[in-house]
Amino acid sequence: GESVGLHLPTLSVQEGDNSIINCAYSNSASDYFIWYKQESGKGPQFIIDIRSNMDKRQGQRVTVLLNKTVKHLSLQIAATQPGDSAVYFCAENRAGGYSTLTFGKGTMLLVSP
Amino acid sequence: SQTIHQWPATLVQPVGSPLSLECTVEGTSNPNLYWYRQAAGRGLQLLFYSVGIGQISSEVPQNLSASRPQDRQFILSSKKLLLSDSGFYLCAFTLGRQNTEAFFGQGTRLTVV
């Protein structure tokens, strides 16, 4: 699978900076996308989602952008905090499926105080 | 609200021994259930999913099997573990057929020695 076999890329930022984590998804038929945060030794936790009829969605300190033309998804975290340090995964769900999510490779975010 | 429980949290097993990891969901009925595996520093790989009792779909042929003896119970098993079965195993569920987020358990760290 796409998410297996590669070491995680790492993004290092200073506390207070804005972070942008990128993800390229694989299936043009996917119509629902999610960002997850996974802290060490724990299961992934939902951050924010977006449907394919949207190109932007905002949450608390986070914004997800969707570019269907190039099959690209990004997560923007404003005023990054040390507690944001974790691995971030994007996931896509194909249209009409049983919500079987396909996960991206993941990006490790390291926030320095 | 819905909750998911997965156990044990950690497990060390010798090569050739059997495996049984259990996952239960509370607070909902007829969830879609999933088993994922995550190798150290890697992404999430879907192993099995189930849309109903006794219905199991395998995404990756391997040394593992899954069963769903009850609506909200999902079990991951192996008759003889291999060293390559070591990893972080995550159970997850989604609600219904519509596109929704997946909720993850806290994971089981399996080390085969």
Side-chain angles (χ1 to χ4, degrees), chain B residues 81-100:
Chain B
L81 284 168
L82 305 172
L83 287 174
S84 58
D85 291 324
S86 294
F88 191 50
Y89 289 83
L90 288 155
C91 182
F93 76 95
T94 57
L95 301 173
R97 291 193 178 192
Q98 64 271 26
N99 292 330
T100 59

PDB file of all heavy atoms in Angstrom, chain B residues 81-100:
ATOM      1  N   LEU B  81       2.824 -16.911  14.947  1.00  0.00           N
ATOM      2  CA  LEU B  81       3.400 -15.596  14.698  1.00  0.00           C
ATOM      3  C   LEU B  81       4.779 -15.680  14.047  1.00  0.00           C
ATOM      4  O   LEU B  81       5.564 -16.588  14.326  1.00  0.00           O
ATOM      5  CB  LEU B  81       3.513 -14.812  16.001  1.00  0.00           C
ATOM      6  CG  LEU B  81       2.215 -14.233  16.551  1.00  0.00           C
ATOM      7  CD1 LEU B  81       2.415 -13.732  17.971  1.00  0.00           C
ATOM      8  CD2 LEU B  81       1.704 -13.121  15.654  1.00  0.00           C
ATOM      9  N   LEU B  82       5.032 -14.701  13.190  1.00  0.00           N
ATOM     10  CA  LEU B  82       6.341 -14.532  12.562  1.00  0.00           C
ATOM     11  C   LEU B  82       6.989 -13.263  13.131  1.00  0.00           C
ATOM     12  O   LEU B  82       6.298 -12.383  13.646  1.00  0.00           O
ATOM     13  CB  LEU B  82       6.184 -14.373  11.049  1.00  0.00           C
ATOM     14  CG  LEU B  82       5.411 -15.471  10.309  1.00  0.00           C
ATOM     15  CD1 LEU B  82       5.188 -15.055   8.867  1.00  0.00           C
ATOM     16  CD2 LEU B  82       6.156 -16.792  10.386  1.00  0.00           C
ATOM     17  N   LEU B  83       8.300 -13.178  13.000  1.00  0.00           N
ATOM     18  CA  LEU B  83       8.993 -11.964  13.451  1.00  0.00           C
ATOM     19  C   LEU B  83       8.438 -10.733  12.755  1.00  0.00           C
ATOM     20  O   LEU B  83       8.308  -9.661  13.358  1.00  0.00           O
ATOM     21  CB  LEU B  83      10.494 -12.077  13.182  1.00  0.00           C
ATOM     22  CG  LEU B  83      11.282 -13.021  14.071  1.00  0.00           C
ATOM     23  CD1 LEU B  83      12.724 -13.127  13.579  1.00  0.00           C
ATOM     24  CD2 LEU B  83      11.267 -12.558  15.529  1.00  0.00           C
ATOM     25  N   SER B  84       8.075 -10.892  11.493  1.00  0.00           N
ATOM     26  CA  SER B  84       7.583  -9.758  10.704  1.00  0.00           C
ATOM     27  C   SER B  84       6.195  -9.300  11.131  1.00  0.00           C
ATOM     28  O   SER B  84       5.702  -8.267  10.636  1.00  0.00           O
ATOM     29  CB  SER B  84       7.565 -10.127   9.218  1.00  0.00           C
ATOM     30  OG  SER B  84       6.751 -11.268   9.008  1.00  0.00           O
ATOM     31  N   ASP B  85       5.551 -10.027  12.033  1.00  0.00           N
ATOM     32  CA  ASP B  85       4.242  -9.609  12.534  1.00  0.00           C
ATOM     33  C   ASP B  85       4.363  -8.535  13.613  1.00  0.00           C
ATOM     34  O   ASP B  85       3.349  -7.959  14.031  1.00  0.00           O
ATOM     35  CB  ASP B  85       3.471 -10.810  13.095  1.00  0.00           C
ATOM     36  CG  ASP B  85       3.046 -11.785  12.003  1.00  0.00           C
ATOM     37  OD1 ASP B  85       2.710 -11.323  10.888  1.00  0.00           O
ATOM     38  OD2 ASP B  85       3.062 -13.012  12.260  1.00  0.00           O
ATOM     39  N   SER B  86       5.563  -8.265  14.063  1.00  0.00           N
ATOM     40  CA  SER B  86       5.756  -7.207  15.061  1.00  0.00           C
ATOM     41  C   SER B  86       5.270  -5.870  14.511  1.00  0.00           C
ATOM     42  O   SER B  86       5.477  -5.555  13.335  1.00  0.00           O
ATOM     43  CB  SER B  86       7.233  -7.096  15.441  1.00  0.00           C
ATOM     44  OG  SER B  86       7.680  -8.257  16.103  1.00  0.00           O
ATOM     45  N   GLY B  87       4.646  -5.099  15.386  1.00  0.00           N
ATOM     46  CA  GLY B  87       4.168  -3.789  14.958  1.00  0.00           C
ATOM     47  C   GLY B  87       3.139  -3.253  15.932  1.00  0.00           C
ATOM     48  O   GLY B  87       2.894  -3.825  16.980  1.00  0.00           O
ATOM     49  N   PHE B  88       2.553  -2.142  15.528  1.00  0.00           N
ATOM     50  CA  PHE B  88       1.528  -1.486  16.325  1.00  0.00           C
ATOM     51  C   PHE B  88       0.198  -1.728  15.627  1.00  0.00           C
ATOM     52  O   PHE B  88       0.015  -1.325  14.481  1.00  0.00           O
ATOM     53  CB  PHE B  88       1.859   0.005  16.406  1.00  0.00           C
ATOM     54  CG  PHE B  88       1.051   0.777  17.403  1.00  0.00           C
ATOM     55  CD1 PHE B  88       0.924   0.335  18.708  1.00  0.00           C
ATOM     56  CD2 PHE B  88       0.430   1.961  17.049  1.00  0.00           C
ATOM     57  CE1 PHE B  88       0.202   1.056  19.653  1.00  0.00           C
ATOM     58  CE2 PHE B  88      -0.299   2.697  17.978  1.00  0.00           C
ATOM     59  CZ  PHE B  88      -0.416   2.243  19.278  1.00  0.00           C
ATOM     60  N   TYR B  89      -0.724  -2.414  16.303  1.00  0.00           N
ATOM     61  CA  TYR B  89      -1.992  -2.798  15.706  1.00  0.00           C
ATOM     62  C   TYR B  89      -3.099  -1.900  16.251  1.00  0.00           C
ATOM     63  O   TYR B  89      -3.243  -1.727  17.460  1.00  0.00           O
ATOM     64  CB  TYR B  89      -2.300  -4.269  16.000  1.00  0.00           C
ATOM     65  CG  TYR B  89      -1.402  -5.205  15.229  1.00  0.00           C
ATOM     66  CD1 TYR B  89      -0.123  -5.513  15.712  1.00  0.00           C
ATOM     67  CD2 TYR B  89      -1.805  -5.740  14.014  1.00  0.00           C
ATOM     68  CE1 TYR B  89       0.724  -6.345  14.989  1.00  0.00           C
ATOM     69  CE2 TYR B  89      -0.970  -6.578  13.280  1.00  0.00           C
ATOM     70  CZ  TYR B  89       0.297  -6.869  13.774  1.00  0.00           C
ATOM     71  OH  TYR B  89       1.134  -7.683  13.058  1.00  0.00           O
ATOM     72  N   LEU B  90      -3.864  -1.392  15.330  1.00  0.00           N
ATOM     73  CA  LEU B  90      -4.925  -0.459  15.691  1.00  0.00           C
ATOM     74  C   LEU B  90      -6.269  -0.960  15.199  1.00  0.00           C
ATOM     75  O   LEU B  90      -6.418  -1.345  14.042  1.00  0.00           O
ATOM     76  CB  LEU B  90      -4.655   0.913  15.076  1.00  0.00           C
ATOM     77  CG  LEU B  90      -3.513   1.700  15.711  1.00  0.00           C
ATOM     78  CD1 LEU B  90      -2.931   2.695  14.729  1.00  0.00           C
ATOM     79  CD2 LEU B  90      -4.019   2.426  16.950  1.00  0.00           C
ATOM     80  N   CYS B  91      -7.233  -0.939  16.095  1.00  0.00           N
ATOM     81  CA  CYS B  91      -8.612  -1.242  15.743  1.00  0.00           C
ATOM     82  C   CYS B  91      -9.340   0.085  15.561  1.00  0.00           C
ATOM     83  O   CYS B  91      -9.037   1.068  16.265  1.00  0.00           O
ATOM     84  CB  CYS B  91      -9.256  -2.057  16.852  1.00  0.00           C
ATOM     85  SG  CYS B  91     -10.955  -2.550  16.517  1.00  0.00           S
ATOM     86  N   ALA B  92     -10.271   0.127  14.636  1.00  0.00           N
ATOM     87  CA  ALA B  92     -11.013   1.360  14.389  1.00  0.00           C
ATOM     88  C   ALA B  92     -12.436   1.021  13.975  1.00  0.00           C
ATOM     89  O   ALA B  92     -12.731  -0.105  13.559  1.00  0.00           O
ATOM     90  CB  ALA B  92     -10.330   2.194  13.308  1.00  0.00           C
ATOM     91  N   PHE B  93     -13.329   2.007  14.104  1.00  0.00           N
ATOM     92  CA  PHE B  93     -14.677   1.827  13.603  1.00  0.00           C
ATOM     93  C   PHE B  93     -15.170   3.093  12.949  1.00  0.00           C
ATOM     94  O   PHE B  93     -14.695   4.190  13.223  1.00  0.00           O
ATOM     95  CB  PHE B  93     -15.633   1.387  14.727  1.00  0.00           C
ATOM     96  CG  PHE B  93     -16.038   2.487  15.680  1.00  0.00           C
ATOM     97  CD1 PHE B  93     -17.222   3.198  15.477  1.00  0.00           C
ATOM     98  CD2 PHE B  93     -15.258   2.789  16.789  1.00  0.00           C
ATOM     99  CE1 PHE B  93     -17.595   4.193  16.370  1.00  0.00           C
ATOM    100  CE2 PHE B  93     -15.627   3.791  17.680  1.00  0.00           C
ATOM    101  CZ  PHE B  93     -16.803   4.496  17.467  1.00  0.00           C
ATOM    102  N   THR B  94     -16.115   2.920  12.032  1.00  0.00           N
ATOM    103  CA  THR B  94     -16.850   4.032  11.437  1.00  0.00           C
ATOM    104  C   THR B  94     -18.337   3.726  11.567  1.00  0.00           C
ATOM    105  O   THR B  94     -18.736   2.587  11.787  1.00  0.00           O
ATOM    106  CB  THR B  94     -16.490   4.251   9.960  1.00  0.00           C
ATOM    107  OG1 THR B  94     -16.741   3.037   9.240  1.00  0.00           O
ATOM    108  CG2 THR B  94     -15.035   4.637   9.799  1.00  0.00           C
ATOM    109  N   LEU B  95     -19.133   4.769  11.418  1.00  0.00           N
ATOM    110  CA  LEU B  95     -20.574   4.635  11.590  1.00  0.00           C
ATOM    111  C   LEU B  95     -21.263   4.590  10.240  1.00  0.00           C
ATOM    112  O   LEU B  95     -21.157   5.535   9.458  1.00  0.00           O
ATOM    113  CB  LEU B  95     -21.111   5.817  12.399  1.00  0.00           C
ATOM    114  CG  LEU B  95     -20.508   5.986  13.788  1.00  0.00           C
ATOM    115  CD1 LEU B  95     -20.989   7.282  14.416  1.00  0.00           C
ATOM    116  CD2 LEU B  95     -20.847   4.806  14.679  1.00  0.00           C
ATOM    117  N   GLY B  96     -21.910   3.515   9.952  1.00  0.00           N
ATOM    118  CA  GLY B  96     -22.743   3.454   8.773  1.00  0.00           C
ATOM    119  C   GLY B  96     -21.981   3.505   7.464  1.00  0.00           C
ATOM    120  O   GLY B  96     -20.770   3.384   7.406  1.00  0.00           O
ATOM    121  N   ARG B  97     -22.691   3.686   6.387  1.00  0.00           N
ATOM    122  CA  ARG B  97     -22.115   3.677   5.057  1.00  0.00           C
ATOM    123  C   ARG B  97     -21.681   5.042   4.583  1.00  0.00           C
ATOM    124  O   ARG B  97     -20.873   5.165   3.676  1.00  0.00           O
ATOM    125  CB  ARG B  97     -23.106   3.133   4.034  1.00  0.00           C
ATOM    126  CG  ARG B  97     -23.401   1.667   4.170  1.00  0.00           C
ATOM    127  CD  ARG B  97     -24.130   1.186   2.947  1.00  0.00           C
ATOM    128  NE  ARG B  97     -24.392  -0.236   3.020  1.00  0.00           N
ATOM    129  CZ  ARG B  97     -24.814  -0.964   2.005  1.00  0.00           C
ATOM    130  NH1 ARG B  97     -25.019  -0.399   0.842  1.00  0.00           N
ATOM    131  NH2 ARG B  97     -25.034  -2.254   2.140  1.00  0.00           N
ATOM    132  N   GLN B  98     -22.198   6.085   5.209  1.00  0.00           N
ATOM    133  CA  GLN B  98     -21.828   7.402   4.720  1.00  0.00           C
ATOM    134  C   GLN B  98     -20.403   7.725   5.118  1.00  0.00           C
ATOM    135  O   GLN B  98     -19.843   7.137   6.025  1.00  0.00           O
ATOM    136  CB  GLN B  98     -22.765   8.472   5.292  1.00  0.00           C
ATOM    137  CG  GLN B  98     -22.704   8.653   6.789  1.00  0.00           C
ATOM    138  CD  GLN B  98     -23.653   7.752   7.539  1.00  0.00           C
ATOM    139  OE1 GLN B  98     -24.015   6.695   7.044  1.00  0.00           O
ATOM    140  NE2 GLN B  98     -24.057   8.151   8.715  1.00  0.00           N
ATOM    141  N   ASN B  99     -19.807   8.642   4.423  1.00  0.00           N
ATOM    142  CA  ASN B  99     -18.436   9.026   4.700  1.00  0.00           C
ATOM    143  C   ASN B  99     -18.338   9.677   6.066  1.00  0.00           C
ATOM    144  O   ASN B  99     -18.892  10.743   6.300  1.00  0.00           O
ATOM    145  CB  ASN B  99     -17.934   9.998   3.635  1.00  0.00           C
ATOM    146  CG  ASN B  99     -17.782   9.334   2.292  1.00  0.00           C
ATOM    147  OD1 ASN B  99     -17.507   8.149   2.212  1.00  0.00           O
ATOM    148  ND2 ASN B  99     -17.942  10.097   1.240  1.00  0.00           N
ATOM    149  N   THR B 100     -17.666   9.031   6.956  1.00  0.00           N
ATOM    150  CA  THR B 100     -17.464   9.569   8.293  1.00  0.00           C
ATOM    151  C   THR B 100     -16.052   9.243   8.739  1.00  0.00           C
ATOM    152  O   THR B 100     -15.396   8.380   8.177  1.00  0.00           O
ATOM    153  CB  THR B 100     -18.454   8.975   9.301  1.00  0.00           C
ATOM    154  OG1 THR B 100     -18.280   7.556   9.334  1.00  0.00           O
ATOM    155  CG2 THR B 100     -19.881   9.318   8.947  1.00  0.00           C
TER     156      THR B 100
END
